[in-house]
Amino acid sequence: MDTKIEWADAVWNVTRGCRRVSPGCVNCYAEKQANRFKGGAYEGLVSLGKNGPRWTGAGRFVPDKLEEPLHWRKPRRIFVNSMSDLFFEEFTNEQIAAVFGVMATAHWHTFQVLTKRSERAAKWFHWL
């Protein structure tokens, strides 16, 4: 999906949902965006409380989105999971491996993975 984010050409949201884990999560734009779409793809992943939208702590892997970058022939800078964190604990090592498998296969793209869970990322790479 094309994006207006200046440092990316597209977003690839193969996972959805999250849980706050650090002070860097305080102004999470994805919570607010997910709240706008909570009746659809983000149902059950965000709730609106007195302090605004908050992730419920649930995560959802979206297998139908997995092969999406393989169909984009023109090289793109792809923000992986603008609406989640790939290393969120709700996602299995195998699900994360499937995402990295697509990234390896779609070598003509540049994939950008941001995480607030560097410890989980390090453990995942060790697992791999």
Side-chain angles (χ1 to χ4, degrees), residues 59-125:
R60 188 173 300 137
F61 183 74
V62 188
D64 292 347
K65 292 282 203 178
L66 195 56
E67 295 182 6
E68 197 170 59
L70 299 175
H71 302 287
W72 299 335
R73 304 319 295 164
K74 180 182 173 188
R76 297 177 181 193
R77 295 170 299 161
I78 301 171
F79 180 5
V80 179
N81 294 328
S82 67
M83 296 296 292
S84 184
D85 186 324
L86 183 59
F87 293 99
F88 179 31
E89 298 77 15
E90 291 293 307
F91 308 126
T92 68
N93 286 339
E94 293 78 11
Q95 290 169 327
I96 297 168
V99 173
F100 272 90
V102 170
M103 289 191 279
T105 302
H107 57 84
W108 56 94
H109 297 307
T110 300
F111 293 92
Q112 302 171 86
V113 178
L114 304 178
T115 185
K116 297 261 189 318
R117 293 168 168 82
S118 56
E119 299 85 11
R120 168 91 195 275
K123 288 179 184 177
W124 182 81
F125 281 101

Side-chain angles (χ1 to χ4, degrees), residues 4-22:
K4 292 181 181 179
I5 298 171
E6 64 186 49
W7 45 267
D9 301 312
V11 295
W12 177 36
N13 291 312
V14 68
T15 64
R16 297 177 181 147
C18 206
R19 178 182 313 115
R20 290 182 176 202
V21 294
S22 76

